Amino acid sequence: MNFVFQNFVIPSGSMEKTLLIGDHVLVDRITFAPPIGWAPFVHYREPQRGDVIVFYKPNPETPDLILVKRLIGVPGDRIHLIHGVVYLNGVAQNESYAAMPKFSADPDDEYSPARDDFPTRGTPPGSFEVWSQALPSHVQGGDLVVPPGNFFAMGDNREHSADGRFWGFVPRGNILGRPLFNYWSFEATAAQMDAQGASLGARASSFFTTALHILNKTRWSRTGHLIR
């Protein structure tokens, strides 16, 4: 199964509303894999702008951490943000799925120049130091230029997403696949998802909680929901 399809659970709200915390998705591991000569009938292609991708986080401190984000830029693309709006090769993008800065009681939803006017103000607070040092070498005329063999990805919930603005580019070799659809969705919080991995006892408690509430907390309308 790991070579063709893989299940993946969404642990955070960085991709809302496309993907919700507690969504269980089936990931296609074939489409972005290197072509195999003995299987010419299998469709292969390179990742494209707009794809939702699953990948290993490009951070040596957490080499096995798997993330899901939306692919914004491919090699050679020039990207910058103004007040949260993505400009791709000089053209403002109409991203209906993306959350923009807004007036809110949550300070993370408010406009943040370092995060929402990227990269002209450098990296946002909380960025990895290695990326903060490398960023200037990838900026030309106020644009972030995606280097060969790399991609730039961001979460749809832009104000609550630690994404490429914070840790840089996604190497091609880090990309595992793309989520196809939800096979099950269960209401949960990010704290509850984090607790599942804390200990054996926490996992057992989570299992019994899920079993107890499987009927009333399952998001039935999201079953079979295609991910775009």
Side-chain angles (χ1 to χ4, degrees):
M1 287 291 289
N2 282 344
F3 294 103
V4 181
F5 298 107
Q6 185 174 6
N7 68 301
F8 183 75
V9 184
I10 305 302
S12 76
S14 69
M15 282 295 291
E16 292 180 357
K17 298 294 187 182
T18 304
L19 293 167
L20 305 181
I21 298 172
D23 278 355
H24 291 61
V25 301
L26 191 69
V27 175
D28 165 23
R29 294 289 302 271
I30 290 293
T31 299
F32 297 155
I36 301 175
W38 53 264
F41 52 87
V42 178
H43 175 67
Y44 300 98
R45 68 169 175 83
E46 281 297 293
Q48 300 172 355
R49 300 184 198 96
D51 284 338
V52 178
I53 58 174
V54 175
F55 57 95
Y56 287 117
K57 183 179 180 181
N59 170 23
E61 296 178 1
T62 53
D64 297 325
L65 181 62
I66 297 177
L67 301 180
V68 56
K69 305 289 181 188
R70 190 175 297 274
L71 197 156
I72 303 299
V74 301
D77 280 344
R78 303 176 68 97
I79 299 165
H80 69 267
L81 277 69
I82 298 179
H83 213 94
V85 176
V86 172
Y87 284 74
L88 177 65
N89 300 321
V91 179
Q93 302 299 293
N94 181 16
E95 301 175 293
S96 58
Y97 45 75
M100 295 289 108
K102 59 182 179 294
F103 293 108
S104 171
D106 186 342
D108 286 338
D109 288 332
E110 296 282 350
Y111 165 66
S112 171
R115 181 192 62 201
D116 300 322
D117 291 337
F118 180 82
T120 56
R121 297 175 183 267
T123 55
S127 298
F128 289 110
E129 183 63 27
V130 64
W131 172 233
S132 297
Q133 295 176 0
L135 176 64
S137 65
H138 296 289
V139 176
Q140 298 179 14
D143 288 321
L144 178 72
V145 181
V146 184
N150 289 268
F151 297 84
F152 187 73
M154 297 172 63
D156 288 352
N157 192 6
R158 299 283 163 81
E159 315 313 304
H160 297 264
S161 177
D163 48 37
R165 294 168 292 181
F166 294 80
W167 38 250
F169 303 110
V170 181
R172 176 64 177 88
N174 284 37
I175 299 177
L176 299 174
R178 60 191 182 110
L180 297 176
F181 63 88
N182 281 314
Y183 64 85
W184 182 44
S185 183
F186 187 80
E187 291 182 23
T189 65
Q192 289 170 335
M193 298 299 295
D194 289 341
Q196 290 182 15
S199 66
L200 181 60
R203 289 195 294 271
S205 175
S206 174
F207 173 81
F208 285 113
T209 299
T210 300
L212 183 64
H213 296 285
I214 191 168
L215 294 179
N216 65 305
K217 286 197 172 184
T218 291
R219 302 183 185 107
W220 299 102
S221 63
R222 292 186 67 78
T223 301
H225 173 73
L226 298 178
I227 299 166
R228 297 186 175 90

